[in-house]
Amino acid sequence: VVLAGAGAALANYRTNNSTAIPTLANKAVGGGIEFNSSAPVRLDMWEDFQCPSCKAFESANNAYINSLVKAGKIHAVYHPMSFIGPESALEARAAGCAADEGRFLEYHTALYANQGTENSGIWSPEILTVIGKGLGIKSKSFENCVSSKKYDNWVRNIEVDASKNNVNSTPTVLLNGKQMDPSTHRDNAKFKAAL
C-alpha cells in the first residue's frame, strides 16, 4: 500500500508533455489559459471551480478582471485546479472545451454562478453542456469535448505545475509573480488598488 501510494504521488508530480491542451492554454505558463501575453501586468489565478473561497474572489473581482482582460490591460493566466474532487476535474476540462469555442471567460463566470456544495454530484457532462448552450455554445465539438476526457492530462498537468509553484490552496493569486495578500480576495477596492 505504501509503495502504491508513493508511486501515485510520483506520478502526480510528472508532467505529461504529449497531452492535448485547450485553445489559449500555454505550456510556457504552466498550461494555464492565457490572455494578452504582452500586457505589462501579469495576474496568475489558481482556482478550483468547487472552492467556496474561489467563488468569493470571483464574486468580488470577476467583472473587474474581465474588463481588464477584454481591454488588453492585463496578462491574465487562469490555472483551473482539481484537487477538491472528480467534479472539479470535470468542470476544469469543460472550461478547457469552452476555451476552444472562444468562450472561456463567460463559461468561467457561469460555473461560479452555479456553484453547488463540494462533491455534491450536481455536475455531469450533460449539465456542463447545458451551461455551454445557455451561453450560446451549441457546436457538436463542444458537446463531444465535454463528454470525453480529452483534457484530462491537461488538468493533471495544472496540478503538477501548482505543486512546482508551491500553490497549496485556492484561490492563490500572483501579481507579477508575487502572491497577493489574501485580504484582497474579497475586497474589490483593495484588489483594484493592488493592480
Side-chain angles (χ1 to χ4, degrees), residues 78-181:
Y78 295 84
H79 306 265
M81 295 181 66
S82 56
F83 72 92
I84 290 176
E87 288 182 72
S88 299
L90 190 60
E91 289 178 89
R93 290 195 306 263
C97 297
D100 290 345
E101 303 290 329
R103 303 301 293 273
F104 176 82
L105 293 177
E106 297 88 343
Y107 200 80
H108 174 275
T109 300
L111 287 176
Y112 281 117
N114 291 282
Q115 187 185 76
T117 307
E118 293 177 16
N119 298 316
S120 61
I122 67 166
W123 296 110
S124 67
E126 293 76 19
I127 296 296
L128 291 164
T129 300
V130 167
I131 295 270
K133 285 181 179 177
L135 298 170
I137 308 173
K138 298 181 180 177
S139 69
K140 192 69 178 171
S141 60
F142 175 73
E143 186 176 343
N144 291 339
C145 181
V146 171
S147 63
S148 74
K149 291 195 173 184
K150 178 179 180 180
Y151 293 135
D152 207 29
N153 285 332
W154 169 67
V155 171
R156 287 191 189 118
N157 286 349
I158 295 284
E159 293 292 329
V160 172
D161 182 66
S163 179
K164 288 178 182 175
N165 283 283
N166 297 315
V167 173
N168 52 27
S169 64
T170 57
T172 294
V173 183
L174 270 60
L175 179 59
N176 289 336
K178 294 181 71 175
Q179 188 167 341
M180 292 184 76
D181 185 332

Side-chain angles (χ1 to χ4, degrees), residues 31-42:
I33 301 287
E34 182 179 50
F35 294 88
N36 310 318
S37 61
S38 61
V41 175
R42 177 168 164 178

